[in-house]
Amino acid sequence: MIKVLFAGSPDAARITLEHLLKSQTEFGFEISGVLSNPPSAKGRHKDLIPTPVAAFAAEKGIPVFTPEHLDGTARDAISPLGADLLVSFAYGHIFGPKFLALFPMGGINLHPSLLPKYRGCTPVPAAILNRDKQTAVTVQTLSLKMDEGDILAQTLVDLNGSETCESLLIFSAEEGARLICEILRQTALQKNLPAGKPQKGEASYTGIIKKEDGRINWNETTAVLDAKIRAYYPEPGCWCMEGNNSLRILEARIFSGQTAELQKLECDAESFKKSAAGTVLAFSKSDGILIKTGDGILVVRKLQRQGKTAMDYKSFMNGARNFIGTVLE
């Protein structure tokens, strides 16, 4: 039985951990401990909230480690577990040589991209933003350099342009757990990690996404805005200004209707031509709220005013008098 230390922090990693726990007996391994980021202060009262991975592991009675740094103190705390292998998904830190030396069988990392494309911390938003036709779920060996390890397993994923960061991360977490289980089964049988293949092709890198990155510029094309809203959902989210207050755009799609449909919604061609980008043109009960972009129309289907709860477009319009004609910025 292989002893595994699982390292991860966000909810997607929690999904992977949950699948691994259900499969550990069948595939010949045991999750002996969990490594996660420290609790963070959230809410009005700045309460310390554990990461989704740490909270889930604690509920299951698994030892949880949340050091600020992977220093000697952290290594001394984790070493008594006697873990054979480190399994990581979205932990948030690079593992140093002294830390990796704790694991006789080494370590593996789940990375949701078509490596070496999109190394770094935000590969899923990058694939959506760039409107790629294909991405991947990859399991690689852990190396001292970011995401440069050999590829142990990889599932190609076709993208149809409807994916959000959330939906693609959930799929990656579930598919990644399946790939990891199979690698751990082979490792248990061979008493060693299977051989991987070196990455081939030109590498690219992704960086941290900030709240300001989600600011909507209505002069951009509809396709760009659609991709941006999907890439940044649910965090950090896309937003614009409605007067002095922020307005989050949570779900949208490209308007594929014809001029005749706009006329039915009392939006004639001349007023459409004269209106500025960001103008709320019309409301369609079957489609959503139509907003002018740099080259067309975006249909907004879910949104959230500052300090309010998120609403579908119909509920929003029930309480949004005079919203039609508003110019969002």
Side-chain angles (χ1 to χ4, degrees):
M1 181 74 71
I2 298 174
K3 288 187 175 183
V4 171
L5 176 71
F6 181 86
S9 296
D11 194 59
R14 177 200 59 79
I15 294 172
T16 299
L17 176 60
E18 185 173 358
H19 281 275
L20 292 179
L21 284 175
K22 292 177 181 177
S23 305
Q24 57 184 349
T25 302
E26 178 185 356
F27 287 87
F29 66 92
E30 176 190 61
I31 304 295
S32 58
V34 161
L35 176 66
S36 194
N37 281 333
S40 56
K42 295 182 180 179
R44 182 180 301 174
H45 302 292
K46 300 298 181 183
D47 296 324
L48 291 177
I49 306 299
T51 69
V53 165
F56 176 74
E59 288 176 5
K60 298 299 180 180
I62 302 170
V64 178
F65 304 88
T66 58
E68 288 280 355
H69 306 284
L70 297 179
D71 53 15
T73 302
R75 295 194 298 273
D76 289 343
I78 291 169
S79 180
L81 287 178
D84 302 297
L85 184 73
L86 174 63
V87 174
S88 175
F89 177 29
Y91 170 52
H93 300 277
I94 294 177
F95 302 104
K98 292 181 180 179
F99 189 81
L100 288 177
L102 294 175
F103 310 96
M105 292 183 173
I108 61 175
N109 177 56
L110 171 59
H111 191 74
S113 86
L114 189 57
L115 286 172
K117 195 174 185 180
Y118 303 141
R119 290 172 177 166
C121 58
T122 53
V124 171
I128 296 174
L129 281 173
N130 291 328
R131 288 173 277 164
D132 292 350
K133 299 300 182 183
Q134 191 176 65
T135 186
V137 180
T138 304
V139 180
Q140 59 176 157
T141 57
L142 275 168
S143 69
L144 297 178
K145 294 184 178 180
M146 185 171 58
D147 299 326
E148 292 190 15
D150 292 346
I151 294 174
L152 297 170
Q154 190 173 71
T155 299
L156 298 180
V157 182
D158 293 328
L159 303 178
N160 60 25
S162 67
E163 301 82 5
T164 65
C165 182
E166 181 180 60
S167 68
L168 195 49
L169 273 175
I170 290 173
F171 174 82
S172 299
E174 294 172 344
E175 175 62 16
R178 187 189 69 80
L179 295 176
I180 289 169
C181 282
E182 180 56 31
I183 291 169
L184 293 179
R185 184 189 67 80
Q186 295 177 39
T187 303
L189 291 173
Q190 302 172 6
K191 308 301 181 185
N192 204 353
L193 273 177
K197 296 180 180 179
Q199 298 180 29
K200 294 181 179 180
E202 184 177 352
S204 62
Y205 294 85
T206 63
I208 296 173
I209 297 171
K210 302 180 292 293
K211 179 183 177 181
E212 191 60 32
D213 294 328
R215 177 72 184 263
I216 291 175
N217 177 0
W218 291 105
N219 288 298
E220 292 185 309
T221 66
T222 310
V224 167
L225 291 175
D226 168 66
K228 191 172 185 178
I229 291 165
R230 291 185 292 108
Y232 293 160
Y233 180 83
E235 294 295 338
C238 277
W239 57 280
C240 59
M241 296 301 295
E242 180 192 4
N244 294 324
N245 297 312
S246 65
L247 179 69
R248 284 168 60 91
I249 307 298
L250 304 175
E251 181 183 331
R253 65 174 179 81
I254 298 172
F255 181 66
S256 57
Q258 304 299 320
T259 304
E261 293 182 54
L262 289 176
Q263 292 174 344
K264 290 179 183 178
L265 297 170
E266 300 180 355
C267 179
D268 60 80
E270 188 64 25
S271 62
F272 172 77
K273 184 178 180 181
K274 292 181 178 179
S275 60
T279 301
V280 181
L281 299 169
F283 166 58
S284 166
K285 291 184 178 179
S286 59
D287 291 326
I289 301 168
L290 279 60
I291 302 177
K292 185 175 180 180
T293 68
D295 72 339
I297 297 174
L298 189 73
V299 181
V300 174
R301 297 179 60 83
K302 188 176 180 181
L303 58 173
Q304 182 179 15
R305 274 180 166 151
Q306 184 175 326
K308 306 293 183 180
T309 58
M311 295 183 179
D312 65 81
Y313 65 95
K314 292 180 181 178
S315 300
F316 180 89
M317 289 302 295
N318 284 338
R321 294 182 180 179
N322 304 319
F323 190 58
I324 305 300
T326 300
V327 180
L328 304 174
E329 296 180 352

